[in-house]
Amino acid sequence: RAKEAGRNSYRFFNQAMSEQMKGRMTIENSLHRALERKEFELHYQPRVNLSTLQVAGFEALIRWNHPQLGRIAPLEFIPIAEERGFIAEIGKWVLDEACCQAQRIIDATGKPIRISVNLSARQLAGEQLLDDVRNALDRSGLRADLLELELTETALVNDIDASTRIFQALKGLGVSLAVDDFGTGYSGLAYLGQFPIDVLKLDRSFVNQKNRDKTGNKRVIEAFIEMAHRLGIPVVAEGVETADTLAFLIACRCDEAQGYYFAPPLPAQEVAGFLERFSGDAPAIEPNTCITP
Ligand code: C2E
Ligand code: MG
Ligand code: MG
Ligand code: MG
């Protein structure tokens, strides 16, 4: 019997594996046509200023609507796009699309809403990035200071000299630079002083309830925010899902927050409606859930 079960699980394993490989092969084979077939789409997640409770900006997040596989999340295809050398083209499309959409929102609302775009480490290493950013700004008419580029710590410290050079060049264009997923990887605070960083984004695993409950972690988050402020860098918390987390962040003087508590990433056509509905109304926070640090 045991033997039989073993054989079955072996067969099952094989099948699951080949399904997975088929999935990956389909992704690889169709990825290079996805752009021309207009299968990519950007969703926009609002970022809320915690002093004014106004929408401060949106983060553009890519989605791939695959004709057979359905919607594919970025973490499933961005690494493959990087490996296969498609990321530069995709990244260029994201920059163009995000800047145009941001300018449309600004035209419609009359508010200087910021747009954040994620960059992959590969884009930072490539030659094309500066031109792509410049072109996206020109084509959309978006004010450079309203475009923010997000990079992970690992991408930054990968090659500090190269990153410093490209950072300086990007700053020369007038765009803002954010460190994404802060608190997960390296967190070597020393590099913060070396780069002209405009925004620090605390990773969601770092700010969520489970992690905060671990002894000492609350203090670490508080200390991170305090330190960033001493360096003159505002802090954005990602992945805020509950009123508790929000209250904690407000008590820590975190500057901005984004997460399902406010809204998930929204399709472009829902952005205007969201702005209208949100319009600075305070989300329901029970005063007694506020935690004083
Ligand atoms: P990220 O830049 O850290 O984006 C935040 C991720 O957290 C997004 O996942 C977002 O949907 C998700 N999220 C937002 N609020 C909450 C929340 O309250 N709870 C939870 N559990 N999750 C939340 P998404 O859209 O799947 O993107 C994953 C990652 O893929 C991004 O992480 C970013 O690193 C990458 N990515 C997305 N779009 C692009 C792009 O256009 N270019 C590049 N190079 N990378 C991208
Ligand atoms: Mg991001
Ligand atoms: Mg992040
Ligand atoms: Mg992340």
Side-chain angles (χ1 to χ4, degrees):
R1 273 199 76 108
K3 220 173 171 183
E4 202 172 294
R7 249 202 321 273
N8 277 339
S9 67
Y10 176 72
R11 196 182 305 135
F12 177 74
F13 175 70
N14 243 354
Q15 203 180 337
M17 206 169 72
S18 83
E19 284 297 313
Q20 205 184 343
M21 277 167 57
K22 253 196 296 196
R24 181 170 169 114
M25 269 168 64
T26 317
I27 287 183
E28 288 192 8
N29 291 332
S30 42
L31 196 51
H32 73 287
R33 291 218 192 87
L35 257 183
E36 65 188 56
R37 291 182 178 172
K38 300 192 190 318
E39 289 167 3
F40 292 123
E41 181 188 355
L42 293 184
H43 282 193
Y44 299 88
Q45 188 176 37
R47 207 160 98 179
V48 176
N49 180 310
L50 294 184
S51 321
T52 62
L53 293 171
Q54 301 269 355
V55 176
F58 289 88
E59 177 175 5
L61 294 155
I62 196 168
R63 302 289 180 260
W64 181 11
N65 301 311
H66 192 283
Q68 280 87 43
L69 301 175
R71 177 161 290 160
I72 306 177
L75 291 178
E76 278 183 67
F77 68 87
I78 292 286
I80 300 175
E82 288 176 331
E83 249 172 64
R84 300 287 302 266
F86 302 134
I87 196 64
E89 281 313 297
I90 296 174
K92 180 183 151 101
W93 177 83
V94 171
L95 277 165
D96 275 335
E97 182 75 9
C99 289
C100 283
Q101 179 63 22
Q103 188 55 48
R104 256 179 251 136
I105 299 171
I106 293 167
D107 288 341
T109 61
K111 288 181 186 157
I113 303 264
R114 216 178 315 120
I115 188 81
S116 304
V117 171
N118 293 283
L119 297 184
S120 97
R122 290 285 170 105
Q123 280 173 281
L124 196 64
E127 304 283 297
Q128 220 184 304
L129 181 63
L130 268 183
D131 277 344
D132 290 351
V133 172
R134 208 181 288 122
N135 285 334
L137 290 171
D138 282 350
R139 239 171 282 172
S140 61
L142 184 71
R143 250 169 57 192
D145 63 306
L146 295 179
L147 174 61
E148 183 178 280
L149 303 174
E150 297 190 4
L151 279 152
T152 60
E153 300 175 82
T154 15
L156 281 183
V157 295
N158 213 0
D159 181 347
I160 296 222
D161 289 340
S163 309
T164 311
R165 262 197 314 277
I166 190 125
F167 258 52
Q168 239 101 43
L170 288 169
K171 288 302 288 184
L173 295 180
V175 302
S176 312
L177 302 167
V179 177
D180 202 356
D181 301 346
F182 186 81
T184 47
Y186 218 89
S187 298
L189 302 175
Y191 75 86
L192 281 182
Q194 293 188 15
F195 292 110
I197 289 162
D198 299 288
V199 174
L200 212 61
K201 296 190 80 177
L202 288 181
D203 192 73
R204 65 166 190 262
S205 65
F206 202 57
V207 290
N208 69 23
Q209 184 75 54
K210 221 169 90 200
N211 190 59
R212 284 203 320 278
D213 285 345
K214 287 183 198 146
T215 334
N217 274 1
K218 258 186 188 160
R219 304 229 158 241
V220 173
I221 299 170
E222 284 165 21
F224 268 159
I225 295 175
E226 232 177 85
M227 180 211 54
H229 286 168
R230 289 225 186 136
L231 294 167
I233 304 172
V235 178
V236 181
E238 317 184 289
V240 176
E241 294 183 356
T242 65
D244 268 3
T245 299
L246 180 62
F248 169 72
L249 292 165
I250 290 174
C252 294
R253 304 190 204 301
C254 186
D255 302 271
E256 292 178 19
Q258 73 182 76
Y260 299 160
Y261 180 72
F262 298 109
L266 305 165
Q269 64 271 18
E270 287 176 28
V271 167
F274 173 83
L275 277 170
E276 226 162 84
R277 259 179 295 131
F278 196 84
S279 69
D281 288 347
I285 313 169
E286 295 293 326
N288 59 359
T289 61
C290 277
I291 303 148
T292 15

